[in-house]
Amino acid sequence: MTRPHIATFALIALVALATGFVLAGQIRAQLLTPSNQLARYQALVRNVQELEATNADDRRQIASLRVQIDGLESEAAARSAATQALKSQLSDLRAHAGLIAMHGPGLEVSLRNGVPGPDTGGKAGYLINFQDVQDVVNLLFAQGAEGIAVNGRRITPLTAFSGSEGQIVIDQGTPFTAPVKIAAVGDRNRMQEALDDPSALPDIRARQVQFQVHLTLEGSADVALPAYDSSLQIPHVSST
Amino acid sequence: MSARPRTARRASRARGISVWLIALLVALVATVQIRSEAEVERSLVGIDSTSLAFLIDDLHRANESLDAEKAALVRLRAQLQSGQSGAADQVLTDEANRLRALEGLIPVQGPGVVMVIDASGLQALDLQDALNNLAAAGAEAIDVNQRRVVTGVPVTQTRDGVAIDGVVVVPPWKISVIGDVNRLAAVADLMAQQLRADRRVREATYRIDSDVVIRSVISERPFVYAVAS
């Protein structure tokens, strides 16, 4: 047997060995089952993506309809002083409900995930969760914030926060994860002092030490908040 | 004479090609395997199939709400476009009253649930969480011990206990909520179960009421800093 022959056979043996390892790995990893799992998972993901696209489209349409309605109301108000007075009242109510974009002095709070570490209470403490956002929003309102938006989503009188682990859902919006930017218009100094108070936001402070979650804030002379673009229906409520 | 070396060369080339083919196959299988596993891993990061199913459920409900809002806005636009005498004034008045109810500026009534929580040592955060749970279940109006609550009304911890908009609410807390009874009752039931497991809680009950009346209101606060864009 010549030297090239030996080399060729050695190479074939090596390749066969590698094939064996790969096939064994394949069988051990139960490629077929993960493939099915993956297919099912991908179907769920596609479903979520479609629903998210519909959600975004619906919110765009709602924003557009509100602009059209505002235009029609303004036209009507231009024809009558009484209608003008009603329109003015309504604009004020809409501003307080978060239905009108606003701006003014305020601050922006940034929340970012920390680093994984030993968890306590079955919660991934390094992740920013919806309760963190809720706590910061509540603190800002308690310090006189006149309007707040979280990652561009305006907070309204009916706003609810939900989610699981690091997923954050606000009202009928799609879920998002940190980094989270909370923009607030109001008394900048008052809000800043409250956020700087070491006794405020005890849970986030503890996780800043334990998991290095980030909470930073920046004051601004002009913070812009978008208008709310989702549902504010109250079908079960009637005035007494 | 030259036939044998040519045959040998051909056989050697064939062997070489087969080696490369096998190597290619191995590489292909390995790539498929690694990519497949990586894809599973990447897509499963942070969210499992069960959570995805819940997410789909939530998104369906959210999109239904958005559809309802769109339909209401289209109706509103049609009314305004009708140009009938007084139509605009009626639309504006109705919308203003709806927003007053939503912002807690007027008394309201409707179907809902009434929860009673008697406990010592519960903090503002506990009440905030309870209120948020009810809001997430579609609460449309909330009152705690005759104090109207909407998102933005401060619920704070004071030396004397939990305060809503600066007024201490002494337990037992009676939380009256208007909204979809089925959703509210499901959440109230879960909350009551969890609260009863808390040593600080003496009582946590709820009842469904076809006509919850909320008379408390919030005073409107004019904006000082905010300007409409």
Side-chain angles (χ1 to χ4, degrees):
Chain A
M1 203 180 269
T2 61
R3 201 173 286 168
H5 278 126
I6 293 168
T8 304
F9 286 130
L11 193 59
I12 289 171
L14 265 177
V15 169
L17 196 68
T19 311
F21 275 125
V22 168
L23 284 174
Q26 194 106 331
I27 290 159
R28 275 190 63 190
Q30 291 175 307
L31 182 63
L32 281 176
T33 311
S35 293
N36 290 338
Q37 281 176 356
L38 183 62
R40 278 199 298 273
Y41 189 85
Q42 281 173 336
L44 287 173
V45 168
R46 266 197 303 279
N47 199 345
V48 168
Q49 285 168 341
E50 282 165 16
L51 287 167
E52 286 184 344
T54 306
N55 187 288
D57 190 46
D58 283 350
R59 286 189 285 120
R60 266 193 299 275
Q61 285 182 49
I62 285 170
S64 162
L65 279 165
R66 285 190 178 135
V67 169
Q68 290 172 39
I69 286 166
D70 190 54
L72 289 166
E73 287 171 353
S74 296
E75 279 174 28
R79 293 193 292 269
S80 149
T83 311
Q84 177 60 56
L86 279 170
K87 167 77 177 150
S88 171
Q89 280 179 31
L90 187 55
S91 295
D92 192 43
L93 287 164
R94 281 185 177 146
H96 280 83
L99 290 165
I100 293 175
M102 63 160 65
H103 68 102
L107 49 79
E108 287 185 348
V109 181
S110 292
L111 292 169
R112 288 202 312 276
N113 291 335
V115 289
D119 282 341
T120 50
K123 287 166 76 178
Y126 71 100
L127 295 173
I128 293 296
N129 58 44
F130 78 90
Q131 286 104 331
D132 299 327
V133 177
Q134 182 192 325
D135 289 348
V136 173
V137 167
N138 284 338
L139 180 71
L140 292 169
F141 273 130
Q143 299 307 318
E146 294 176 357
I148 297 178
V150 179
N151 277 13
R153 291 184 195 165
R154 187 72 175 272
I155 304 302
T156 75
L158 295 185
T159 286
F161 301 90
S162 56
S164 58
E165 293 283 310
Q167 298 255 323
I168 300 154
V169 179
I170 298 177
D171 299 325
Q172 300 101 28
T174 51
F176 59 88
T177 54
V180 179
K181 189 174 274 187
I182 302 170
V185 170
D187 185 334
R188 201 182 346 174
N189 295 333
R190 201 175 142 198
M191 292 189 287
Q192 193 153 347
E193 275 171 30
L195 285 163
D196 286 336
D197 180 353
S199 66
L201 306 170
D203 190 45
I204 296 178
R205 301 255 182 251
R207 281 155 53 226
Q208 275 183 313
V209 175
Q210 197 177 355
F211 299 106
Q212 291 85 55
V213 298
H214 296 264
L215 184 151
T216 53
L217 55 121
E218 196 179 344
S220 170
D222 194 31
V223 174
L225 307 178
Y228 181 66
D229 62 359
S230 298
S231 172
L232 269 185
Q233 294 295 310
I234 45 169
H236 302 91
V237 164
S238 57
S239 52
T240 55
Chain B
M1 280 262 303
S2 63
R4 199 177 292 166
R6 198 180 295 157
T7 312
R9 219 179 299 142
R10 206 174 284 163
S12 162
R13 197 181 297 157
R15 267 199 302 275
I17 288 169
S18 54
V19 168
W20 284 114
L21 272 176
I22 292 168
L24 198 70
L25 194 69
V26 171
L28 192 74
V29 170
T31 308
V32 168
Q33 171 75 9
I34 289 162
R35 283 191 61 183
S36 160
E37 284 179 5
E39 198 164 350
V40 172
E41 210 169 308
R42 189 173 54 243
S43 56
L44 290 175
V45 164
I47 188 157
D48 55 34
S49 299
T50 312
S51 304
L52 267 184
F54 280 119
L55 179 57
I56 288 168
D57 194 37
D58 288 345
L59 279 168
H60 270 298
R61 189 180 299 137
N63 289 357
E64 277 170 20
S65 297
L66 295 178
D67 275 342
E69 181 77 16
K70 270 195 301 181
L73 291 171
V74 167
R75 275 197 302 275
L76 210 60
R77 184 181 63 183
Q79 280 174 278
L80 286 164
Q81 282 170 333
S82 74
Q84 286 172 352
S85 166
D89 286 5
Q90 191 57 53
V91 165
L92 295 180
T93 304
D94 290 348
E95 183 65 357
N97 284 334
R98 199 180 68 83
L99 289 177
R100 284 189 187 102
L102 185 150
E103 290 170 34
L105 303 174
I106 55 172
V108 288
Q109 65 186 88
V113 298
V114 178
M115 277 199 90
V116 176
I117 303 168
D118 191 10
S120 53
L122 287 186
Q123 305 285 302
L125 282 175
D126 298 311
L127 184 56
Q128 283 170 358
D129 284 345
L131 296 173
N132 182 63
N133 286 340
L134 292 164
E140 297 169 19
I142 303 179
D143 168 291
V144 181
N145 290 12
Q146 280 81 56
R147 307 296 306 177
R148 190 72 168 267
V149 184
V150 296
T151 303
V153 167
V155 177
T156 50
Q157 190 64 42
T158 70
R159 260 179 291 175
D160 300 322
V162 179
I164 295 177
D165 209 4
V167 176
V168 173
V169 282
V170 181
W173 293 333
K174 182 180 167 195
I175 308 176
S176 306
V177 193
I178 298 174
D180 181 328
V181 167
N182 294 329
R183 286 180 65 199
L184 288 175
V187 165
D189 194 50
L190 270 176
M191 284 167 63
Q193 282 179 41
Q194 283 175 358
L195 283 163
R196 278 185 219 120
D198 189 324
R199 277 187 205 160
R200 299 171 296 175
V201 177
R202 286 185 289 270
E203 182 195 359
T205 57
Y206 75 95
R207 65 180 162 82
I208 293 169
D209 193 331
S210 60
D211 192 24
V212 176
V213 178
I214 295 178
R215 298 195 194 284
S216 56
V217 294
I218 293 164
S219 312
E220 199 171 5
R221 292 187 180 123
F223 287 147
V224 178
Y225 299 92
V227 180
S229 295

